[in-house]
Amino acid sequence: MALTRQTVVRNLWASPALFITAAFIAFILVRSDKAISIGWLLYWAGWLPPLAALVTCAASKEKPGTGGIFALCVLLIFGGVFWLNHG
């Protein structure tokens, strides 16, 4: 299977799930001061792939689609949850 630009963009949209899961583990399961700092770092790093996908879509004049909107909404929702628990 050939690696196409569309496949790469789809994977960029899906990648926040990995960052959010890792941040959730750091916040909830580990619960040390260092883990909370790492959790925030992981959360903010989770914004980079969707932003790169957004730039790619804008450069090719495509709409982000449902996956893009979902990825950004999930990041916003979990950012709010993490902030309420550890802000």
Side-chain angles (χ1 to χ4, degrees):
M1 181 167 66
L3 186 66
T4 64
R5 187 188 63 77
Q6 185 178 17
T7 304
V8 172
V9 171
R10 284 183 183 169
N11 286 326
L12 287 173
W13 286 128
S15 66
L18 300 172
F19 289 98
I20 288 172
T21 302
F24 181 80
I25 290 170
F27 285 134
I28 303 302
L29 298 180
V30 181
R31 288 189 164 197
S32 68
D33 290 336
K34 182 120 176 146
I36 291 172
S37 298
I38 290 171
W40 281 117
L41 181 68
L42 288 167
Y43 169 73
W44 289 112
W47 280 90
L48 296 177
L51 292 177
L54 193 62
V55 167
T56 303
C57 287
S60 62
K61 297 181 181 174
E62 294 178 359
K63 293 182 179 180
T66 306
I69 294 167
F70 182 75
L72 296 174
C73 288
V74 165
L75 281 166
L76 287 171
I77 290 168
F78 273 91
V81 170
F82 292 156
W83 177 75
L84 287 173
N85 286 326
H86 299 287

